[in-house]
Amino acid sequence: QVQLVESGGGLVQAGGSLRLSCTVSGRTFSTSTMGWFRQTPGKEREFVAGISWNGGTTAYADSVKGRFTISRDNAKNTVYLQMNSLKPEDTAIYYCAARSASLTFMRKSEYGYWGQGTQVTVSS
């Protein structure tokens, strides 16, 4: 059974930083493309960042480019999202997701496995 477990969410002031982690079990992590998405009430889940199976290719939503960094450690079966210069509009539930090896990242329908989400709240 594939499991994705996120951690690292919380409450932070605007301008602050958080680092999210997502650990994967039950699936060959090193051949999985990974993504981070976020969702706020009443809105569609939106793409935030993605990383290829070997970490060689990354992609970001325009709204987070230059502030967020996605990375992975295949030895630890873990993907990270370093979030700096946080803004109140970054407040959301953040989900990690896994899919088969691919260089496309943005379509949530192509991810077959999802974590339970972690809340990030940025106060102004």
Side-chain angles (χ1 to χ4, degrees), residues 28-47:
T28 306
F29 181 75
S30 61
T31 61
S32 298
T33 284
M34 299 297 298
W36 285 98
F37 292 75
R38 65 187 182 187
Q39 190 170 20
T40 54
K43 288 192 172 181
E44 292 272 333
R45 193 171 296 188
E46 65 174 7
F47 170 77

Side-chain angles (χ1 to χ4, degrees), residues 23-24 29-30 53 72-80:
T23 300
V24 180
F29 181 75
S30 61
W53 62 96
R72 65 190 294 157
D73 185 339
N74 284 354
K76 295 182 178 179
N77 284 8
T78 300
V79 61
Y80 304 98

Side-chain angles (χ1 to χ4, degrees), residues 2-78:
V2 179
Q3 278 195 312
L4 285 72
V5 179
E6 300 102 334
S7 61
L11 173 64
V12 65
Q13 286 190 331
S17 298
L18 282 174
R19 187 198 198 200
L20 305 184
S21 301
C22 172
T23 300
V24 180
S25 60
R27 176 178 174 87
T28 306
F29 181 75
S30 61
T31 61
S32 298
T33 284
M34 299 297 298
W36 285 98
F37 292 75
R38 65 187 182 187
Q39 190 170 20
T40 54
K43 288 192 172 181
E44 292 272 333
R45 193 171 296 188
E46 65 174 7
F47 170 77
V48 175
I51 188 167
S52 61
W53 62 96
N54 61 358
T57 303
T58 58
Y60 297 92
D62 287 344
S63 59
V64 306
K65 232 173 249 183
R67 300 187 297 121
F68 290 11
T69 303
I70 189 171
S71 62
R72 65 190 294 157
D73 185 339
N74 284 354
K76 295 182 178 179
N77 284 8
T78 300

